[in-house]
Amino acid sequence: MITILFGIAEVLLIIGSAGMLLSGNPNAGKTIFYLYFCTMIFIVTLNLGKLFKWLHDAETPFTVESAKNMKKVGQTLMAGGFIGMILFPLMEMFTGLDIYEMPYTFGITIIVVGMIFTAFALIFEYGCKLQQESDETL
């Protein structure tokens, strides 16, 4: 359900961004900023859906696949936040679109959340090794 809502928001933001850019609206930069981060969150939501489906269907959460999916979510968040922190100030500098300081706040927050997901992925990888050793001893 959330994926559908994000998909609808994506379509509306694309239409709004195109309209604002074509009309020369000074808030077009902010709309493009929201479109970028909404797209990134949409991709993360799709990956989280796969992760939760995998966790629901698996016997144990400590599997290589669950750790891999968590790591993918963390890496997507960290890369998206970092790229946003670099891309939008450059876009503001070269195009003159007004974005303010939002890329830094959003970018740092998203990078920290990505680091947390990556830390959980490492914990799950370690749990997977322990689970495998436990299964081998029995």
Side-chain angles (χ1 to χ4, degrees):
M1 182 67 177
I2 284 188
T3 308
I4 294 170
L5 292 176
F6 272 119
I8 292 169
E10 281 293 315
V11 170
L12 294 176
L13 279 170
I14 290 170
I15 293 169
S17 297
M20 290 179 108
L21 282 173
L22 292 175
S23 69
N25 190 321
N27 290 326
K30 292 177 188 172
T31 307
I32 294 170
F33 171 78
Y34 294 136
L35 177 65
Y36 171 77
F37 280 106
C38 190
T39 302
M40 189 189 64
I41 291 173
F42 180 69
I43 293 167
V44 168
T45 304
L46 291 175
N47 287 331
L48 282 175
K50 290 178 191 175
L51 172 66
F52 289 137
K53 182 176 179 347
W54 180 263
L55 288 174
H56 182 266
D57 294 342
E59 271 184 42
T60 178
F62 298 108
T63 61
V64 175
E65 190 67 30
S66 61
K68 202 182 321 180
N69 284 335
M70 270 190 205
K71 197 178 281 187
K72 189 187 306 182
V73 169
Q75 290 171 344
T76 302
L77 286 168
M78 287 189 297
F82 185 71
I83 290 169
M85 284 176 57
I86 292 173
L87 180 70
F88 286 102
L90 288 176
M91 187 176 88
E92 186 175 32
M93 186 170 55
F94 290 117
T95 64
L97 293 173
D98 192 22
I99 301 174
Y100 299 117
E101 295 178 9
M102 290 187 294
Y104 301 113
T105 306
F106 274 47
I108 290 171
T109 304
I110 289 174
I111 288 171
V112 168
V113 171
M115 290 173 146
I116 292 169
F117 265 97
T118 305
F120 276 114
L122 294 173
I123 291 168
F124 269 67
E125 279 181 1
Y126 184 68
C128 180
K129 287 180 186 175
L130 291 177
Q131 182 79 32
Q132 194 174 27
E133 287 177 10
S134 173
D135 290 344
E136 289 173 357
T137 58
L138 296 175

